[in-house]
Amino acid sequence: MLLLAVAFIVAFVLLLYMVSPLISPKPLKLPGAHVVVTGGSSGIGKCIAIECYKQGAFITLIARDENKLLQTKKEIENYSVNDKQVVLCISVDVSKDYEQVENVLKQAQEKLGPVDMLVNCAGTSVTGKFEDIEVNSFERLMAVNYLGSVYPSRAVIAMMKERRMGRIVFVSSQAGQLGLFGYTAYSPTKFALRGLAEALQMEVKPYNIYVTVAYPPDTDTPGFAEESKTKPLETKLISETSSVCQAEQVARVIVKDAIQGNFNSSVGSDGYMLSILTSGMSPVTSITEGLQQVVCMGIFRIVGLFYLGSFDSIVRRCMMQREKSESTDKTE
């Protein structure tokens, strides 16, 4: 009886693997495709643009700093695979004026053709204790990290629907899967991207358009270096429990998942575990992915509870040390 049950399970799993490719999205071909990257002048955005350019894509870079855009353009052009490729630079703040964003994307499509893949990578971060963060920082981060993804996506979606094809990528963060000390202004903006992505995917899937939400871990970028200068001690200690990834590695994973039409994109073992744990009602692009979530959810929840206990311990220990230090200062 036991052997029969094992044989049934094995046969069921093999059947899932056989059927899975039949229901997965058809991969997007990057050679000759038009890829738009917001926040493309540095960090993960720049590396994504380079990775797509290496595969033969035409690139539109969007960012605020015109000088950095031009420098990045020269760097990307070193990776051309043919003399027809073009890198177009547009200086605009994607979070302020929707009509302006819509106009610049129309100009980009007039020059390089319809957008095949949009990568929303524009973002910024502020860390600190909730009561220490300026109120306008909450508003600014929501504008840049959330509306800065809404506006470009809104500007290209009609054409993608008309063409019955496209990819939209939202670059969130592991802080958009798990709320951590010091990220009360940042995490909610990244959580919001997932809600947007899930709702949008349900709308556009019948049109052969696929949405990807990327959850990169701490990544070695100029933005991360700047953020680290103001991190509270608790946040620094929690961050030390995981390694810092290279932007090139993160970019390769995001591009690969976007091409395949995968909804979730994560890096490393911690990223894989978090994606399973937080999958909830998020869409899957293969039966295999769904099966992995069902099988691993309980085990990973146990592991996750140990992580949460460790994080709470760090916060409590820092609080006690701070109170002890303040008490000593008063007595002196």
Side-chain angles (χ1 to χ4, degrees), residues 67-258:
N67 290 330
K68 287 175 67 176
L69 276 171
L70 294 175
Q71 292 172 6
T72 302
K73 170 183 167 71
K74 292 179 181 178
E75 185 177 345
I76 293 174
E77 288 174 339
N78 292 327
Y79 297 94
S80 64
V81 294
N82 62 67
D83 56 7
K84 294 182 180 179
Q85 284 178 275
V86 175
V87 179
L88 177 65
C89 293
I90 299 176
S91 176
V92 68
D93 186 336
V94 293
S95 67
K96 284 191 174 180
D97 185 343
Y98 170 70
E99 290 186 0
Q100 188 177 18
V101 174
E102 185 179 37
N103 287 334
V104 297
L105 280 168
K106 282 182 179 178
Q107 294 171 21
Q109 293 185 91
E110 288 172 359
K111 293 180 180 179
L112 300 183
V115 176
D116 296 291
M117 182 161 80
L118 168 67
V119 183
N120 293 290
C121 203
T124 188
S125 176
V126 171
T127 57
K129 293 180 183 177
F130 181 65
E131 68 272 22
D132 294 336
I133 299 174
E134 296 291 336
V135 172
N136 61 7
S137 293
F138 290 88
E139 299 170 352
R140 181 169 62 89
L141 261 65
M142 186 58 76
V144 176
N145 296 349
Y146 179 69
L147 294 180
S149 293
V150 170
Y151 292 166
S153 302
R154 178 68 173 74
V156 303
I157 199 68
M159 180 63 74
M160 286 186 175
K161 280 186 172 182
E162 186 178 319
R163 298 175 64 220
R164 295 292 197 274
M165 64 170 292
R167 296 286 191 274
I168 296 178
V169 181
F170 297 106
V171 178
S172 179
S173 164
Q174 285 188 352
Q177 297 173 294
L178 170 67
L180 293 173
F181 189 106
Y183 286 109
T184 51
Y186 179 73
S187 280
T189 66
K190 294 300 187 177
F191 268 87
L193 289 177
R194 172 175 171 169
L196 169 63
E198 288 189 4
L200 183 59
Q201 178 65 96
M202 192 173 290
E203 285 190 25
V204 301
K205 188 176 180 179
Y207 296 89
N208 194 36
I209 301 169
Y210 289 89
V211 177
T212 296
V213 188
Y215 300 105
D218 286 343
T219 306
D220 186 11
T221 65
F224 177 70
E226 192 64 28
E227 170 195 314
S228 298
K229 295 177 182 177
T230 59
K231 279 183 178 179
L233 176 60
E234 292 89 339
T235 309
K236 291 180 179 178
L237 293 175
I238 290 173
S239 297
E240 288 175 359
T241 62
S242 60
S243 58
V244 177
C245 290
Q246 296 301 308
E248 294 82 2
Q249 175 194 2
V250 173
R252 283 194 295 271
V253 173
I254 293 174
V255 171
K256 179 182 177 182
D257 285 329

Side-chain angles (χ1 to χ4, degrees), residues 7-8 14 19 34 45 52 112 195 198 260 289 318:
F8 176 79
L14 288 174
V19 174
H34 181 192
C52 291
L112 300 183
E198 288 189 4
Q260 297 296 327
E289 182 184 3
C318 288

